[in-house]
Amino acid sequence: MIIGRSWVFGDNINTDLMAPARLLKRPVAEFSSHCMETLQPNFAAEVKSGDIVIGGINFGCGSSREQAPEAFKHLGVSAFIAKSFARTFYRNAINLGLPAVVCKEAGSIAQGARLKVSLENGTVEDLDSGKTYKCEVIPPHLTAMLNDGGLLGHLEKRLRAERQKAGRQ
């Protein structure tokens, strides 16, 4: 279960708005402080740990930079909800342990709404309005990866299990 306040953005939000190209060779703390500043200048300063980013169609389009979801993770964002995601952004987010939930009704979510996200049920509940949105359920193999903290955590867990199994034989 994920609970947080919403930050709402529109359609075709590209990765350069999330992690500006001019800053990518700098540490994550520096480039993340410029995350979404073109659209919401105070986003990086005001986003709180656990907050949820809402997008429209094609959220995360543009270059395939992993730094885009990494900037949000560094700022404490707990999940993304969008009408649709650019495929590479979607996988980069999952790989970093950030849920990316496809929700056709994401455009109905208001800025600042308190949300409760159930990955297991594929629902987003607006705790302010009482409305519940049905979303796509993240596939089980990706949910397992998220539960392990992302791709690296998932691979480490699998390698430990394989080593333990090999040691018993």
Side-chain angles (χ1 to χ4, degrees):
M1 195 71 54
I2 299 167
I3 298 175
R5 291 219 176 258
S6 65
W7 287 85
V8 178
F9 298 96
D11 295 339
N12 300 308
I13 302 299
N14 73 55
T15 55
D16 199 46
L17 296 171
M18 301 170 186
R22 70 184 192 283
L23 302 172
L24 291 183
K25 293 189 180 194
R26 306 229 173 118
V28 65
E30 188 170 345
F31 69 75
S32 66
S33 70
H34 296 274
C35 183
M36 306 304 269
E37 72 183 355
T38 304
L39 299 175
Q40 290 191 12
N42 296 325
F43 174 76
E46 294 178 6
V47 68
K48 305 274 189 267
S49 182
D51 284 355
I52 300 165
V53 170
I54 311 300
I57 296 167
N58 201 26
F59 189 81
C61 60
S63 79
S64 60
R65 64 184 68 147
E66 186 178 62
Q67 293 95 332
E70 183 182 23
F72 288 105
K73 183 172 184 167
H74 181 78
L75 294 171
V77 168
S78 62
F80 300 104
I81 301 168
K83 291 180 183 180
S84 66
F85 292 93
R87 284 193 310 174
T88 302
F89 179 87
Y90 179 87
R91 277 313 299 254
N92 282 340
I94 300 285
N95 289 348
L96 290 171
L98 285 171
V101 179
V102 175
C103 184
K104 299 299 179 195
E105 295 181 274
S108 299
I109 298 171
Q111 174 71 24
R114 291 178 311 125
L115 304 177
K116 181 166 71 171
V117 181
S118 171
L119 299 178
E120 297 79 21
N121 298 327
T123 58
V124 174
E125 182 182 352
D126 184 327
L127 299 173
D128 295 329
S129 72
K131 181 157 178 147
T132 299
Y133 304 99
K134 188 69 182 147
C135 307
E136 292 181 16
V137 175
I138 295 175
H141 70 287
L142 295 180
T143 301
M145 190 180 296
L146 288 168
N147 290 337
D148 294 339
L151 179 61
L152 291 179
H154 186 66
L155 292 175
E156 288 171 357
K157 181 179 177 181
R158 287 179 59 188
L159 286 172
R160 274 193 308 275
E162 287 177 20
R163 286 185 190 126
Q164 288 175 348
K165 184 179 175 183
R168 286 188 228 156
Q169 293 177 352

